[in-house]
Amino acid sequence: MSHGTYNTQWNEAQNQIKELLEYEGAPETQKPEVDRVSAFQTVAVLYIKYIQVFRKLEECYYQIVHPQKRIVLRHVLDGTMGRLLELKNEMVNLEFSEYHFF
């Protein structure tokens, strides 16, 4: 594949991250979930979407040759990995289990 393909894929991943951040919104304006099952489902959906974004970014990181782009892409990957860990921790706290079945 060409560099243009991975630049396009990176752009799509960035747009997906922007949509996820808009969906999550500010914590002050969100209503707390009263049901543990619905809260878990919400977090699980976010977790899966972040994994999809992570896979796209990871593929771009390994295929893009430009060192400046790789540095920026690595920062985005680190942030995405951090959010994945936060969501996984929330899922463990909600279900009291390390293993989840969707």
Side-chain angles (χ1 to χ4, degrees), residues 48-62:
I48 291 170
K49 288 182 180 183
Y50 271 104
I51 285 179
Q52 291 170 343
V53 169
F54 174 77
R55 288 182 181 158
K56 279 186 181 181
L57 290 172
E58 184 182 34
E59 184 179 1
C60 291
Y61 179 76
Y62 287 118

Side-chain angles (χ1 to χ4, degrees), residues 3-4 6-8 10 57 60-61 64-77:
H3 295 289
Y6 292 109
N7 287 335
T8 303
W10 183 11
L57 290 172
C60 291
Y61 179 76
I64 289 179
V65 181
H66 299 101
Q68 295 88 355
K69 288 183 180 180
R70 286 179 63 94
I71 291 170
V72 172
L73 197 49
R74 182 63 194 198
H75 287 296
V76 176
L77 266 171

